[in-house]
Amino acid sequence: MESWEEEGSVSGSGLGAGTDVELVRQAWRNEKAAPEILPFEEALVRRLREQIQLQEERAEELKSEGMEDVVVSLHHMDSDRALFLLKSYLRLRLHKIEKHLFFYSSHTHLFARLSPEEQLFCNSCVDIMTQHLKQSVLNKLPQHYQSVTRQSTSSEDDDMVDSPQLDTFVFCKTKTDVGAFQLDDTGEEIVDLVVDDLYVLRYKSIRGLVESGQINLI
Amino acid sequence: MAGQSDPSLSIFSAPEVEFLAEDEMIEIVPNIRMDALNLLCGDFGPFLPQIACKVPLWLAVALKKRGKCSIRTPDWMSVEKLTQVLEAERESPREFQPLPFHYVEISRLLLDHAHDDIPEVYMVRSLIEDIRNVRFHKVESGLETISGRTHAVKLKNLSAMEVNIVRPFMVRVLQAFYKHDSPEMVQQVDTSANKRPQVVDRGPRPAFGKIWYIATAHRTP
C-alpha cells in the first residue's frame, strides 16, 4: 500500500483537472474509441476504487452525524458518478476481450495489457469457447480441419482468428502541439497536429500518440 | 448494465455524452450557507449566500433543483453572443464558430433546469436551435466533399454531440474509401479473384493525397 500513498499524493492535490476521476474519464473515452484494447490502468483503478469506498463511508458518517440531506445526497451523487465510470470502463474491456478472445490470448504483448483478473477471464473464456467449438463442430470434421485457430493443418498462420480492425478511423483531439505528423509509412501524408484541434484520423497511424498521451480519443 | 452503449461501433450514447458534459464547470450563486464539499471530482465551496462560486454542472443542477442556488448563464449563452455566432455561422460555409465543446448539452441542461435564471430565455432557446441547424447543415454538405484518398479530416470546433451524431456514418465512409482506394485492392482484381481481399499492410501511396477541411453530422432519425 506504500505505492498508493505515493501516487495518491501526486494526483490528490489537483483540483478537477488532475483528479483520478478525470484520469479515469479520459481512460474510459480512449478505451471506448480505440478499436483494440489499451493497457489496463491498474494503479488508477485501484486508487479510484479506494476513494469511492472512502467517499461512501464518509456519506454514511455525515448521515449519522445528522448532516443536512442535501450534503449527504451530493456525496452519494459524486461517488455514484465515479462508480459509473469505473464500472463502464471495466465492462467495456471485458466486451473487447470477449470479441477477440483468441487474438488477445495468442499475442503476448497485448495479453500483457490485461489485468490479472482480465487474463483469468480471457483464459477461461478461451477454454470454454474451444470446448464448445470442438464439441459442436470441429470434432466432426476431417482430421486436418480440427484446429480452432486454423482453417486446416496446411495454413501457415492463425487464419481463423479475428483481429481488431486497426485500419478504422477515430475522432481525436490533440492535447499538445505534435507538429507535422506522418500518417503513413511512406511519409507522403503529413498532417500538422495543432493543440486542441479535432481530427478524424486512421487509428493505426496515431496509436503511438494515444499511448504516449499526446492525443485524446473522443 | 450501466448504460453501456454498443461497443462494436464504439459510440457514446447520448446520455453518456451528457454525462461527460455534466463535469463542465459553471458559476452559481448560492442562497444558502454550506461548508466546502470535498468530493472525488474536486473540492468546491464553501458556499455563502450571494457569493458566486464555480462548481461542476451536475452539482449546480442538483442544487438548483432543490432551490438552493441560481445558475449564472455563461457568457456565450447571452442573446448578444449567440446572435453574433449565428451570423458568423451563416457567413462562413466551411468553418464552425468556436463554442464550448459541450454547448448542445450544457444549453439543453440549463434550459431544462434553470430557465428562470436565463435572461430572454425564449430568444436564447431559438437562437441555439438555429445555430444547431446551421451547423448540422454544414456538416451534411461537408460530407459530400469526402472522397477517395481522404486520409484525415479536420473538424475544428465541432462539438461533442455533433461528433457523436456523425461518427458512425463518417467512420464507415472513410473506411470504405480507404479500403477501395488501396493499391493492393486494385491489383488484386486482375491477379486473383478468389483470393480474399484482405488489406493487411499498406503499400506506397500516391503522392497526391488530400486532407479535407470540412464541416460535419446528419440529423438523428
Side-chain angles (χ1 to χ4, degrees):
Chain A
M1 280 300 122
E2 274 95 35
S3 63
W4 182 78
E5 289 296 326
E6 224 178 83
E7 291 153 347
S9 61
V10 176
S11 55
S13 58
L15 258 177
T19 60
D20 286 341
V21 175
E22 172 71 31
L23 295 174
V24 169
R25 191 185 309 141
Q26 193 49 57
W28 177 66
R29 287 183 129 173
N30 281 348
E31 195 68 69
K32 269 205 171 247
E36 62 175 343
I37 202 145
L38 300 174
F40 183 63
E41 299 279 355
E42 195 170 356
L44 182 59
V45 167
R46 193 176 57 232
R47 288 201 307 265
L48 191 64
R49 227 180 221 164
E50 296 187 25
Q51 287 174 22
I52 291 171
Q53 205 180 345
L54 284 176
Q55 189 74 341
E56 278 171 351
E57 282 166 18
R58 207 177 123 65
E60 289 308 311
E61 240 170 70
L62 287 172
K63 200 175 176 181
S64 60
E65 282 169 13
M67 197 51 133
E68 287 169 84
D69 282 353
V70 55
V71 178
V72 177
S73 81
L74 289 176
H75 278 83
H76 276 305
M77 279 177 83
D78 179 50
S79 54
D80 284 350
R81 289 177 66 83
L83 198 59
F84 165 80
L85 270 182
L86 196 59
K87 277 186 183 171
S88 185
Y89 174 70
L90 296 173
R91 276 186 179 146
L92 188 58
R93 291 180 60 88
L94 292 183
H95 267 292
K96 279 191 178 178
I97 296 169
E98 245 179 293
K99 205 171 160 200
H100 300 291
L101 264 185
F102 293 100
F103 183 79
Y104 290 128
S105 73
S106 60
H107 287 73
T108 26
H109 70 287
L110 289 175
F111 195 68
R113 290 180 170 188
L114 311 187
S115 72
E117 292 83 1
E118 285 167 347
Q119 292 183 348
L120 201 70
F121 172 78
C122 185
N123 283 335
S124 52
C125 275
V126 165
D127 288 345
I128 294 168
M129 203 58 174
T130 309
Q131 208 188 345
H132 168 67
L133 290 172
K134 283 200 164 147
Q135 273 175 8
S136 55
V137 187
L138 295 171
N139 285 349
K140 300 178 178 81
L141 294 178
Q143 212 187 349
H144 292 306
Y145 298 92
Q146 290 192 350
S147 162
V148 177
T149 52
R150 297 184 178 195
Q151 271 197 48
S152 72
T153 42
S154 61
S155 304
E156 281 156 18
D157 51 0
D158 293 346
D159 51 3
M160 290 301 281
V161 175
D162 193 19
S163 61
Q165 200 190 1
L166 302 183
D167 261 334
T168 189
F169 284 78
V170 290
F171 285 73
C172 54
K173 237 179 176 180
T174 36
K175 250 197 319 209
T176 49
D177 272 331
V178 178
F181 185 73
Q182 200 177 313
L183 285 179
D184 68 353
D185 321 325
T186 52
E188 279 153 356
E189 302 286 341
I190 306 270
V191 62
D192 197 19
L193 298 179
V194 187
V195 66
D196 216 29
D197 261 354
L198 206 160
Y199 298 90
V200 191
L201 299 170
R202 208 154 55 90
Y203 177 74
K204 211 172 177 175
S205 54
I206 56 150
R207 67 201 278 214
L209 295 179
V210 175
E211 231 175 298
S212 62
Q214 285 172 285
I215 217 168
N216 283 335
L217 302 182
I218 53 168
Chain B
M1 298 292 267
Q4 195 84 58
S5 59
D6 176 13
S8 65
L9 281 166
S10 73
I11 314 281
F12 295 89
S13 67
E16 281 170 339
V17 181
E18 193 178 288
F19 174 82
L20 289 169
E22 284 172 344
D23 284 313
E24 295 292 314
M25 299 298 278
I26 195 152
E27 212 171 43
I28 61 164
V29 183
N31 53 28
I32 46 145
R33 191 176 292 270
M34 195 164 77
D35 287 341
L37 296 167
N38 304 313
L39 301 178
L40 296 177
C41 57
D43 299 333
F44 308 103
F47 302 91
L48 299 165
Q50 307 312 320
I51 308 276
C53 62
K54 285 201 164 187
V55 295
L57 192 51
W58 67 265
L59 190 60
V61 170
L63 287 173
K64 175 75 190 172
K65 274 185 187 165
R66 291 171 172 80
K68 299 204 183 290
C69 76
S70 57
I71 300 178
R72 281 216 178 143
T73 314
D75 273 347
W76 60 267
M77 259 182 83
S78 68
V79 169
E80 189 195 352
K81 282 273 164 59
L82 290 174
T83 316
Q84 282 171 14
V85 170
L86 181 60
E87 249 167 57
E89 290 285 2
R90 284 187 171 141
E91 272 164 22
S92 50
R94 319 234 338 139
E95 267 172 47
F96 293 104
Q97 296 306 306
L99 276 172
F101 188 53
H102 289 289
Y103 88 95
V104 177
E105 306 88 300
I106 296 174
S107 61
R108 173 69 184 277
L109 282 165
L110 292 184
L111 286 168
D112 281 358
H113 300 289
H115 47 89
D116 52 327
D117 292 335
I118 304 172
E120 299 173 84
V121 59
Y122 289 104
M123 206 46 197
V124 169
R125 194 189 293 269
S126 81
L127 278 168
I128 288 179
E129 190 71 14
D130 289 349
I131 290 172
R132 278 180 66 176
N133 288 339
V134 174
R135 287 169 67 108
F136 276 26
H137 182 73
K138 260 187 240 185
V139 168
E140 278 172 0
S141 49
L143 283 174
E144 288 170 19
T145 66
I146 294 183
S147 68
R149 298 199 187 79
T150 301
H151 277 231
V153 181
K154 182 172 171 171
L155 300 159
K156 199 171 161 62
N157 294 331
L158 196 71
S159 82
M161 204 56 106
E162 287 155 355
V163 165
N164 210 42
I165 289 170
V166 79
R167 180 180 350 236
F169 183 71
M170 187 92 159
V171 168
R172 274 202 299 269
V173 167
L174 287 170
Q175 263 175 359
F177 273 124
Y178 187 79
K179 189 172 147 197
H180 295 299
D181 187 40
S182 100
E184 288 91 356
M185 191 73 177
V186 179
Q187 281 162 20
Q188 262 163 6
V189 176
D190 31 65
T191 50
S192 73
N194 354 345
K195 220 176 174 183
R196 267 204 294 174
Q198 220 175 19
V199 190
V200 182
D201 199 37
R202 317 262 321 148
R205 305 200 45 81
F208 40 90
K210 293 176 203 159
I211 290 164
W212 289 98
Y213 293 77
I214 64 149
T216 325
H218 65 116
R219 253 171 281 269
T220 36

